[in-house]
Amino acid sequence: MKFKAPAFLFALALTAPLALAAQAEGPALPSAATADQVTTSKLVYGLLSDSRYAYRPRALDEATSQDVFKRYLETLDGGKQYFTQADVARFAPFEANIAAALRGGQLEPAFQVFSLYKQRVGQRVAYARGLLRQEPDFTTDERFEYDRKKVPWAATDAELNELWRKSVKNDWLRLKLAGKKPDEIRSTLDKRYTTLEKSVNELKGEDVFQFFLNAYTSAVDPHTDYFTPRTAENFNQAMSLSLEGIGAQLQRQDDMVVIREVIAGGPAAVDGTLKVGDRIVGVGQGRTGPIEDVIGWRIDDVVAKIRGAKDTDVRLEFISAEDGVDGKHHTLVLTRQKVRLAEQAAKGETLTIPAGEGEPERRIGVIKLPTFYQDFEGRRRNATDYASATRDVGRLLAGFKKDKLDGVVLDLRNNGGGSLDEAIELTGLFIEQGPVVQVRESGGRVTVNSDRSAAVAWDGPLAVLINRGSASASEIFAGAIQDYGRGLVIGETTFGKGTVQNIVDLDRWPSSEGKRFGQVKLTIAQFFRVSGSSTQHKGVVPDLAFPASVDATEYGESTYDNALPWTRIAAVPHTQYGNFGPLLPRLEERHAARIRTDREFQWWNEDVEQFRAEAAKKYISLNEAERRAERDRQENQRRERQQVRKELGLDLDPLADDSSDDGLTGNERDIVKDAAREKAAEKRPDPLLRESASILADAVNLLEKDRPLSAQVLPQSTGAGRWAD
């Protein structure tokens, strides 16, 4: 079950932990750690308590033990919707002995806590389902307070019952406002709550072990994580943007695994048989191996069966989407191949900024980079085609250069980082050789990491677009571009993550074959800009700021209670290509004048203000008339905006006719329609991107017309349009 906030507050709603729809009866949980898990716990303790490895080791003392205990409970019951004060009091002996448990791998109490958690989930689900017999009264002035981070544990079961009563009432109201009838609402919610219980019952011993170890790692550092062997495999595949399999994105729906997306270029796409919405009900290995019925399986278990080594065969038994759940079963043999996840790679487009007031039309290239990806294994093997963000961006820049575009905007919004090497090498595409980032290790030694190539892929006008979701490697790149005066940084202040992590393979120490112990993503250093400033907490502050879409108290490094403080070290000599200070007031003036008449930008700003106002309330009304009035206001607003777009000749919003809130969770929606909606969302008007391109065009025009200003802003430039010589 999820506690539901309004559609625009989903990110703030409480969620059940790691729910994976599964069979009603899950596997019996072990009462203690396995031998491998005992070894793993000892290895992780050794890493995190030793300054030779961890940047900020933390002793397993009484304070740390209390912190680990608190974080473990938050992992299981972050919304304080299952445990009572009495339950937490029962765990006191475990809290007192956590240090010994982690050092020795004696983790029986962690499994005992989880066992009680399962029991409490079952009790709450039973209570929630019982409430569905009667439709709630929506004429009262009740409200549901969904932000429960700082509330105490419930004193009684009655207090939890009241919390769940309001949660169920909110779930029912959302569906009612979406036009659902009472019987349909009962069916939907009953299935939803049952699925929650199934998901918890399906969790395995390795899941519980990972929850507990990560309570420990997060107590040491907010960006240190433990990965089980399976989790590690998924992480490494995500970083490499490739996998070996059939090339399909899967989603759980009810008791079946459903095709969410067929990845272009993969075996499934080349074959052409499988379509979005098809249900996989069985998997067999090779052309003749028996097909296992996978109905009711966890999605990660099904994925493990479908993935496999390149050039091996897998047999799938599936039901076509159009045939329904009881349709005819079909069989398909596919040969696994290495599949490139192109949707997550860098993408380019060109925006045209119209001529006006004596200034020419400008064409601005846009590169959207979702992450700083790199195929580490491919690079280690010196493969010619390994995935690399820098390589892909370089190819796009070559195309922009050939097309003689006037400037480039690199869009790093919501880019959470990735490879440090990629951040350095990507910076090198825009500067001649020189330092990019300073890295300080736990012992205090500072290493300067530099771009050593004198080649510059793009020497023209550059802007970097950032927001609060831009973190780590994004901050290294944006900070270097700003320190070098190589381009304009536009948007919101970034996340503020100024630490470096490395993947430590735990199988490197014990003498073993196979993948048994997993990996640790370990904080090993802190990075600093070439100016000497850290991005920790403070982030990268843009040269030209857009309104902040999220408050720093709600999201970012500043929200972690054990994050490193901001500090600085000595700067290192570096080229200063430009100084945009004299140009910024004129750009700000033009920007302010333009957004006064830019309807899309104004609407975006209105939405941000509304979001922040609603988020600050931390509650939602349970009165139908009040909620319906707000829903009607939102729908009218959407229709009015679309009409204005038509009248002004603006690009239409492909989602303008969608309801603001359908009351459903992700796995309850029609997958075919939901996937189509996702694709349509990519084509929605993006006023921030367009305004960033316009700001860059303004800079090009102003510097081109005003040579004295250009000489002041770009003292190193040897010609018009050259920002890096």
Side-chain angles (χ1 to χ4, degrees), residues 281-316:
V281 296
V283 182
Q285 305 304 316
R287 293 183 174 272
T288 59
I291 290 181
E292 293 182 86
D293 186 332
V294 296
I295 295 175
W297 284 29
R298 283 175 33 150
I299 191 168
D300 55 344
D301 290 333
V302 179
V303 169
K305 290 288 183 181
I306 295 174
R307 284 181 185 168
K310 180 183 176 185
D311 295 327
T312 61
D313 294 327
V314 62
R315 292 165 64 220
L316 303 178

Side-chain angles (χ1 to χ4, degrees), residues 56 58-75 94-96 98-99 102 211-212 214-222 560-563:
R56 188 178 62 174
R58 185 174 182 183
L60 255 177
D61 53 16
E62 183 179 354
T64 304
S65 295
Q66 292 172 350
D67 196 10
V68 173
F69 176 70
K70 177 177 77 71
R71 292 172 187 274
Y72 184 48
L73 293 187
E74 287 174 350
T75 300
F94 173 42
E95 180 182 6
I98 278 181
L102 284 165
F211 295 162
F212 183 64
N214 275 318
Y216 172 38
T217 62
S218 64
V220 175
D221 178 85
Y560 297 123
D561 58 6
N562 63 341

Side-chain angles (χ1 to χ4, degrees), residues 79 87 124 174 249 306 376 387 489 552 572 584 595 602:
D87 289 332
R124 293 299 143 211
R174 289 180 60 218
Q249 184 185 61
I306 295 174
F376 299 117
V489 179
V572 292
L584 292 180
I595 64 174
Q602 291 172 2

